[in-house]
Amino acid sequence: MAIHLGANQYGKAESRVVRIYRDTARHQIRDLNVSSALRGRFEDAHTTGDQGDVLPTDTQKNTAFAFAKEKGVGAIEDFALTLGGHFIDATPAADGARIEIEEYPWERIPVDGAGHDHSFVRSGSGTRTTVVNVEGRGDDRTAYVVSGIRDLVVLKSTGSEFHGFLKDKYTTLAETDDRILATSLVARWRYDHTDVDWDKSYDEIKSLLLEQFARIHSLALQQTLYGMGEAVLQQHPEVAEIKFSAPNKHHFLVDLSPFGVENPGEVFIAADRPYGLIEATVVRDDASDPGSAWLAVPGFC
Ligand SMILES: O=c1[nH]c(=O)c2[nH]c(=O)[nH]c2[nH]1
């Protein structure tokens, strides 16, 4: 019976790296969740137990914390590219490194009309993400960057319809020209290259996604997502494609007629489960080769 090792990767997941900049009394905070994984020629580690090629996951974790001090934490994409390149250089058997970083956003607490110098409140509008895959050495080095946002919870209280859908004997859904549309959006976009002002690009894409969600008169979540993605590709040449995963957070109108009370779109029950799950990719016809960009990105995106 012939058996061999298939695809594998190993690393340290979810190092919670908090970097405070305290050069002045007005502190700054970067709050990260860093995961690293190496892939390559690690057969011996698995088949014979020889760990000579393995840079320990503990070392990978230590490096994330040390780099936060030594190199500083700027845009998460830059931090991930630096870590990924370093891990390949430090590990001769590694062919690729995958660095995933989430950044939790903090805002200054307003005190006496101004943001406090060193007190912060976690802000609620989504978590910034990046997945960076670095491959090769020296001149052959390639890097793929997929950035995004998750847990971006948005709702329209009108301006959303859903009708004209296919019906069969199990269809009970009423057609509507006025419903609540709500989702907790996951969006990930693949950059075409790495010569990008990451913070500016992220801020603009996030604003654009929100603005489009607000502007688009929705005929379905599918149409809203496509419109949001189309706008990003039109206005951001640095983005090759964008993927969305959007739970349709149903809000059902409550029937108050048993109590003799009318309910013209005012009282809803927010259902937890089940939920529609609408997922889509919007991509340029001439998009660059994704290479390993989406490697080990879990789920649809
Ligand atoms: O925006 C929607 N898309 C659907 O595919 C769908 N299906 C459904 O029952 N409600 C909705 N809403």
Side-chain angles (χ1 to χ4, degrees), residues 1-287:
M1 189 166 47
I3 295 174
H4 68 278
L5 177 69
N8 64 91
Q9 59 177 357
Y10 80 98
K12 190 67 93 188
E14 304 207 48
S15 295
R16 291 282 288 104
V17 179
V18 178
R19 172 65 154 103
I20 304 292
Y21 289 91
R22 50 193 309 152
D23 316 315
T24 72
R26 195 163 176 78
H27 291 183
Q28 291 178 4
I29 180 169
R30 305 301 296 252
D31 183 354
L32 311 183
N33 190 18
V34 180
S35 299
S36 60
L38 301 182
R39 56 182 182 274
R41 287 154 280 118
F42 296 107
E43 284 79 9
D44 283 353
H46 294 83
T47 59
T48 71
D50 178 345
Q51 304 302 307
D53 290 327
V54 169
L55 186 74
T57 71
D58 192 63
T59 308
Q60 296 178 36
K61 176 258 296 171
N62 290 346
T63 309
F65 286 100
F67 275 23
K69 168 64 179 157
E70 292 172 2
K71 301 187 187 288
V73 178
I76 54 175
E77 290 82 359
D78 281 329
F79 196 57
L81 286 162
T82 303
L83 278 172
H86 168 83
F87 286 139
I88 294 185
D89 291 342
T91 315
D95 298 326
R98 178 186 187 277
I99 312 295
E100 178 165 8
I101 303 181
E102 300 182 326
E103 178 165 20
Y104 306 120
W106 291 93
E107 287 170 11
R108 295 182 187 281
I109 295 178
V111 177
D112 297 333
H116 197 265
D117 277 351
H118 56 261
S119 300
F120 303 86
V121 57
R122 175 73 72 76
S123 96
S125 68
T127 297
R128 179 173 169 178
T129 65
T130 194
V131 177
V132 169
N133 271 286
V134 183
E135 289 176 349
R137 282 156 211 287
D139 291 344
D140 287 337
R141 177 145 297 165
T142 342
Y144 300 95
V145 179
V146 172
S147 293
I149 188 164
R150 66 168 177 78
D151 301 336
L152 187 63
V153 181
V154 286
L155 178 149
K156 286 169 88 83
S157 53
T158 189
S160 166
E161 311 181 20
F162 190 67
H163 49 74
F165 43 82
L166 186 65
K167 298 172 191 74
D168 71 7
K169 68 175 183 171
Y170 299 113
T171 303
T172 58
L173 185 71
E175 310 217 2
T176 177
D177 60 6
D178 189 2
R179 66 173 185 173
I180 285 180
L181 181 66
T183 188
S184 176
L185 189 71
V186 180
R188 291 190 199 262
W189 49 91
R190 173 169 67 86
Y191 283 106
D192 186 53
H193 49 82
T194 54
D195 184 17
V196 174
D197 182 342
W198 306 112
D199 287 345
K200 179 167 180 284
S201 180
Y202 172 80
D203 288 344
E204 289 179 0
I205 291 172
K206 179 181 172 184
S207 297
L208 185 57
L209 291 172
L210 290 171
E211 185 188 316
Q212 290 301 111
F213 179 81
R215 277 191 200 282
I216 294 170
H217 182 94
S218 180
L219 298 177
L221 192 44
Q222 286 91 327
Q223 175 237 4
T224 295
L225 295 181
Y226 187 81
M228 291 163 74
E230 193 178 34
V232 169
L233 295 185
Q234 281 166 350
Q235 296 184 36
H236 288 273
E238 74 275 21
V239 175
E241 63 177 314
I242 181 166
K243 286 176 178 277
F244 298 101
S245 180
N248 190 355
K249 294 168 79 75
H250 303 301
H251 288 67
F252 297 115
L253 197 66
V254 179
D255 179 10
L256 298 177
S257 63
F259 322 119
V261 176
E262 289 189 1
N263 185 11
E266 292 177 317
V267 180
F268 295 83
I269 180 164
D272 176 15
R273 283 168 271 187
Y275 49 88
L277 185 58
I278 313 300
E279 305 186 301
T281 307
V282 189
V283 57
R284 293 183 194 285
D285 287 352
D286 59 352

